[in-house]
Amino acid sequence: MNNPVLNLLTLPQGTNKTFGLADFGLAQASIGVDVIQITINSLPVSTSGTLKFNNANVSLGQQIRADQLASLNYVPVNSSANGYVNLGSITTNGEITIEAWVKPANLSANNLKAHIFDLGNGQSNHNIVLELDRFTAYVGSSVVNSPINIPQNLLVIDSWIHLAATIKNNLASVYVNGILTSVNGFNTSLAQGDGSFIAPDIVMTRTSNFIGKSNWSTDPYFKGQIADARIYDKARTWSEIQQDMAGYVDISDTTLLR
C-alpha cells in the first residue's frame, strides 16, 4: 500500500490547525482491514510554528495512523501583539524543566519583565516564572530564591536564543543556548503552614499556566516569537537540553508534559 505524504500547506500566521483526512486527500482512514499510515516528510520551520502529535513535537519521517489524525495539529509561534498560549492544568511530581526558543522583538524594560513561562495558580500563588532576564520561583506568595539573572549581553533583538530552567533537589539552574549559566539554592528558612518545607512546591497541580503571558494582570505580554516550548516533569540534564535544542523529541517520554 502506498502511504500518503502531507502535501505542502500554507498556514495563516498565528492560526492553529488540526489536521483531518481531507488534508491528505483521503476519504477514509483504512483500505480494507489495513489502517493507512501517513508519513511526515517535511516540517514547518521553527520560526513559524511546530507540528505536534499528542502534544509532542513531530519528527521528520514519523508515521501517524490515519485514524489518529485528530491528535495532529500545528501550533504557531506566539507572534501577535498580545498572543499567548494557555497551557491548562499541569501536574508536576518533584522536578521540572521549562525551555523554549525565544526571539525578542525588543529588549525594553517591559519586554525583559514579560513572562515567557508563568506556571502557577494565579498571581503570587506558587508561580514558576521564566522571563527574558531571570528565573524565579515561589512558595505561595513568597519568592523562595533570589531571581537567577540571565546575562543581558546574550540577548539580541530579533535573534533566536534557547532558554531552559530546571529545578531539582532545591537547586534552580538556568541554561542559555545549552550552556549552564547559573545555579542557585532556595531559601530553606521558609516554611509551609504545617512547618514542613518544600522549595518550591514542585509536587502539585497548577491550574493557571501560560506561555507569553503573566499571572499578574498588570504585567506586559511578551513581544516577539516563541518556538518549541516544552515542559518536562524532570530536571533535564545538560546533554538532554542540547538534544532538545536540536529539535529531538522522544514521543514516548512520559515526563514530557507539554
Side-chain angles (χ1 to χ4, degrees):
M1 179 191 310
N2 291 324
N3 292 324
V5 177
L6 175 60
N7 294 323
L8 186 63
L9 298 177
T10 300
L11 298 170
Q13 184 179 14
T15 300
N16 289 70
K17 177 177 176 59
T18 298
F19 294 94
L21 294 173
D23 293 305
F24 299 86
L26 298 174
Q28 56 192 32
S30 60
I31 299 177
V33 297
D34 295 320
V35 175
I36 296 172
Q37 296 283 339
I38 295 165
T39 302
I40 306 298
N41 279 352
S42 64
L43 296 170
V45 295
S46 62
T47 53
S48 64
T50 307
L51 198 62
K52 289 184 175 288
F53 181 68
N54 286 330
N55 290 323
N57 289 5
V58 171
S59 57
L60 198 63
Q62 182 174 336
Q63 290 194 326
I64 297 171
R65 290 166 55 103
D67 58 356
Q68 297 178 339
L69 279 177
S71 297
L72 178 67
N73 60 87
Y74 170 76
V75 180
V77 164
N78 168 32
S79 58
S80 61
N82 285 332
Y84 68 93
V85 177
N86 187 333
L87 297 169
S89 181
I90 294 176
T91 299
T92 50
N93 296 288
E95 301 177 7
I96 193 169
T97 298
I98 54 178
E99 58 177 307
W101 283 99
V102 181
K103 186 179 182 182
N106 63 72
L107 296 177
S108 66
N110 272 350
N111 217 30
L112 290 173
K113 182 182 178 182
H115 293 189
I116 298 168
F117 285 92
D118 189 334
L119 312 181
N121 287 310
Q123 175 178 323
S124 298
N125 195 339
H126 303 288
N127 302 79
I128 296 174
V129 176
L130 179 63
E131 302 166 58
L132 267 180
D133 65 348
R134 63 181 182 175
F135 176 55
T136 311
Y138 292 73
V139 168
S141 61
S142 301
V143 176
V144 296
N145 70 312
S146 298
I148 297 180
N149 294 322
I150 297 171
Q152 293 189 32
N153 65 303
L154 300 177
L155 305 173
V156 180
I157 296 172
D158 285 332
S159 293
W160 288 99
I161 185 171
H162 189 267
L163 301 178
T166 69
I167 297 175
K168 180 180 181 180
N169 296 335
N170 291 348
L171 286 177
S173 303
V174 170
Y175 299 78
V176 180
N177 288 333
I179 304 300
L180 179 64
T181 61
S182 303
V183 178
N184 197 1
F186 294 106
N187 178 4
T188 55
S189 66
L190 289 173
Q192 299 300 295
D194 62 359
S196 63
F197 176 74
I198 306 175
D201 290 320
I202 298 301
V203 183
M204 71 178 307
T205 297
R206 290 173 171 83
T207 58
S208 186
N209 304 297
F210 303 105
I211 294 174
K213 177 182 180 296
S214 172
N215 272 294
W216 283 256
S217 60
T218 58
D219 282 352
Y221 289 83
F222 175 74
K223 298 297 190 296
Q225 300 180 52
I226 300 172
D228 201 6
R230 307 185 192 187
I231 302 174
Y232 286 90
D233 191 25
K234 65 166 286 188
R236 302 282 279 175
T237 64
W238 168 79
S239 61
E240 289 172 329
I241 288 172
Q242 295 247 323
Q243 288 179 335
D244 296 343
M245 286 180 59
Y248 173 80
V249 61
D250 180 0
I251 61 173
S252 65
D253 186 349
T254 58
T255 69
L256 179 60
L257 302 178
R258 295 289 189 276

